[in-house]
Structures are given as structure tokens and as C-alpha cells.
Amino acid sequence: MLIGPGGAGKGTLARLLTSKDPHLWLSRSWTTRPRRPGEDDDAYVFVDRAEFEERARSGGFVEFAEFLGNLYGTPWPQPPDGSDVLLEIDLQGARQVLARYHDATVVLLVPPSTDVQRERMLERGDSLDQVQERLAKSKEEIEGGRAIARHVVVNCDIGASVAELEAIVEATRSGRREKDC
Ligand code: 5GP
């Protein structure tokens, strides 16, 4: 799982990582958040609250949580055979997944500074209010994230962060192979 505050670069890194690794499968979440201008159609399954709640009631999510007024949820993953699953989710969701899958690996991604974080959110089209809200929530996301994360990556440079994440994925896979044999 990749967790961290808004503007840390989770979405960009999750997409880069999965595009480079054919055996890493990125789950597509559902959300009630409206699509941002310019955001890819397939960034999420965008639904209204009624549809989301119906799926949640029928047990269709591994985890779901409310984040700043919108619902986000992970459908039960259906990765291709032989693939590992990558979730890009918030702290509450990561805690739920860990309660179910104790050996899941959590990586906390943090921005190098508040200025960079703010800039990234403005660039992707968040309003000033949204940026403020997300910045205010950051401390909780980082402190809570540190408590459950196996690795912390400071995202100064996208290229270096991808390399760091690739190394974490490989180390996790080899740790698992060792456990299995
Ligand atoms: P955003 O609105 O910026 O796309 O996402 C807001 C927060 O929700 C981010 O921390 C993001 O990682 C998280 N998020 C995205 N998908 C899910 C999900 O399926 N479940 C949970 N719990 N959080 C999610």
C-alpha cells in the first residue's frame, strides 16, 4: 500500500511504478469525489453516494473510508495471475487492510516540504480551499502513517522515488519467497 498526504505524489508514483512493472497491478478505487478538470476518466470509478453506499452495503469493498467529505473504496482485487496488488489509499483504509492482511507492506510517501506539497496540489487543479483542507490533514496522515509504515520515502525527485519504490517492491518479494520456501 502506498499512503501519504495529498501532494506527496502517490498517484503519479503508483502509475509510474505499475507501468514499469508488469507484475504489479494497481487497483482502481471507487469514489464519490467529482472528477478534477483534466483528471483521467479512469483515475477512479466515479459514482454518486447512493451507488457507493449500495456497493458498500453488499460487501463489495475490501475497505472504504470517508476522506474530507467524499467516500473512497477498494473493490475486492482481481489481479491477473502472478501479479502483486498495489493500493494507493488513505490512512484509515490502510489500517483496515492491515487488520485483514497482517503481512501487507505499507509505504509512507512524504513531500519534501509544505511549499512543494502546496504547489503540486495547485498544479493538479485543487482549489485553494481544498489545498488548505488537505494541508491541515497532513500532520495526522504523516504521524499515523509512520506508525504503520514499513518504509518511508521522501518524494523530492520522481525518478529517485520510483527507483526507491522498485527496490522496496523487490525486497518485499524476495522476503516473501524466503518465507515460502
Ligand atoms: P484524492 O481525492 O486526492 O484523489 O484522494 C484523497 C485520498 O483518498 C488520498 O489519500 C487517496 O490516496 C485516498 N484514496 C484513494 N482511493 C482510496 C480508496 O480506495 N480507499 C481509501 N481508503 N482511500 C483512498
Side-chain angles (χ1 to χ4, degrees):
M1 286 178 274
L2 196 53
I3 64 167
K10 291 179 304 233
T12 307
L13 281 169
R15 278 190 302 275
L16 274 173
L17 196 61
T18 44
S19 71
K20 291 182 75 179
D21 183 339
H23 300 295
L24 195 59
W25 180 83
L26 180 60
S27 166
R28 184 147 65 111
S29 300
W30 282 38
T31 187
T32 61
R33 169 172 71 64
R35 194 159 69 89
R36 294 186 182 109
E39 189 173 25
D40 286 347
D41 270 349
D42 62 357
Y44 284 101
V45 177
F46 293 96
V47 293
D48 61 22
R49 202 164 252 267
E51 197 177 343
F52 190 104
E53 285 173 348
E54 177 51 40
R55 184 169 181 131
R57 257 195 307 276
S58 62
F61 294 119
V62 186
E63 64 73 36
F64 66 94
E66 182 148 356
F67 183 90
L68 298 176
N70 292 304
L71 294 167
Y72 297 82
T74 305
W76 289 95
Q78 293 190 307
D81 272 355
S83 286
D84 295 306
V85 175
L86 178 65
L87 307 182
E88 188 249 289
I89 60 178
D90 85 328
L91 177 61
Q92 308 167 76
R95 287 183 178 135
Q96 293 175 44
V97 173
L98 272 183
R100 198 182 282 272
Y101 302 101
H102 303 285
D103 61 349
T105 299
V106 178
V107 180
L108 171 67
L109 193 65
V110 292
S113 70
T114 310
D115 285 348
V116 170
Q117 188 183 6
R118 184 183 297 110
E119 232 8 76
R120 285 184 185 151
M121 288 190 279
L122 287 171
E123 263 169 29
R124 76 180 178 196
D126 282 6
S127 68
L128 278 175
D129 283 352
Q130 284 165 336
V131 171
Q132 277 316 113
E133 266 186 334
R134 281 158 196 258
L135 286 176
K137 219 173 155 37
S138 278
K139 190 164 178 269
E140 174 190 330
E141 291 272 318
I142 294 177
E143 281 174 8
R146 279 189 199 281
I148 62 167
R150 201 171 295 175
H151 307 272
V152 179
V153 172
V154 180
N155 185 19
C156 298
D157 170 82
I158 290 280
S161 299
V162 174
E164 219 173 310
L165 289 172
E166 285 177 316
I168 291 171
V169 169
E170 270 326 301
T172 305
R173 282 177 176 149
S174 85
R176 200 174 50 202
R177 278 193 297 271
E178 221 169 86
K179 233 170 64 186
D180 288 347
C181 76

